[in-house]
Amino acid sequence: VATSLLGVSTLPSRADAQDSVRTTMSGVYTDEQAVKGKEVFNGACSGCHTSASSSGAEFRTRWMGKLLWEFYAYVSKLMPDEAPGALSEAEYVNVTAYVLKLNGMPAGGSELTADSTLLKGLRIDTLAPGFQTGAASGSSSGGARRLGAHIR
């Protein structure tokens, strides 16, 4: 532990580190990535997940406040269920962008990447609990599993 001459720690505190993390509400993906992600989601994910089961309260409960790295690592290592890790890095990044969009997080001018340093510097933050996207409002999950239901 680093200390000054007075015995006070000179390392940044955990609160300082969290304050330096950007949130996903700052536009961390592009619209094009979300469009591509929707295509991948509809082809590779929709057998188990719906847009409704991947957004709203279910998403917030599981992922709100966590680092985007945790979400990306989960999806890229464990999905799709029948062939984990089978998608390309770009496809996993695009699905991540689509899920962010489903949850009301805005697109920005820079592409999201799979760079762990970048993803570990982004905290998942969503709109107010009453927010519903067009894809999520009025939809039922139809028995589809929630994103995150694979963790026991």
Side-chain angles (χ1 to χ4, degrees):
V1 175
T3 57
S4 71
L5 293 175
L6 299 175
V8 178
S9 174
T10 57
L11 294 176
S13 72
R14 175 172 264 223
D16 291 339
Q18 286 183 348
D19 288 343
S20 67
V21 173
R22 284 180 33 208
T23 78
T24 52
M25 291 301 290
S26 64
V28 299
Y29 66 91
T30 65
D31 281 322
E32 183 180 354
Q33 285 182 298
V35 168
K36 290 176 182 177
K38 181 177 182 178
E39 293 169 8
V40 175
F41 185 94
N42 289 337
C45 308
S46 63
C48 297
H49 306 282
T50 66
S51 297
S53 69
S54 301
S55 62
E58 292 185 37
F59 180 86
R60 279 191 307 279
T61 298
R62 174 73 177 99
W63 298 106
M64 179 78 158
K66 295 193 177 178
L67 296 178
L68 190 54
W69 170 251
E70 294 175 67
F71 178 81
Y72 176 82
Y74 175 82
V75 171
S76 64
K77 287 179 180 30
L78 299 174
M79 301 290 148
D81 198 33
E82 69 282 353
L87 302 178
S88 71
E89 183 177 272
E91 288 171 318
Y92 284 117
V93 168
N94 291 338
V95 166
T96 298
Y98 175 61
V99 172
L100 295 178
K101 183 178 181 91
L102 280 177
N103 285 282
M105 293 167 245
S110 299
E111 286 196 348
L112 184 64
T113 70
D115 176 61
S116 63
T117 302
L118 170 76
L119 295 173
K120 288 175 181 177
L122 295 169
R123 186 183 69 242
I124 297 173
D125 195 8
T126 63
L127 293 175
F131 174 78
Q132 294 254 335
T133 63
S137 63
S139 300
S140 75
S141 63
R145 288 181 286 180
R146 294 182 307 264
L147 204 53
H150 300 282
I151 294 178
R152 303 206 192 320

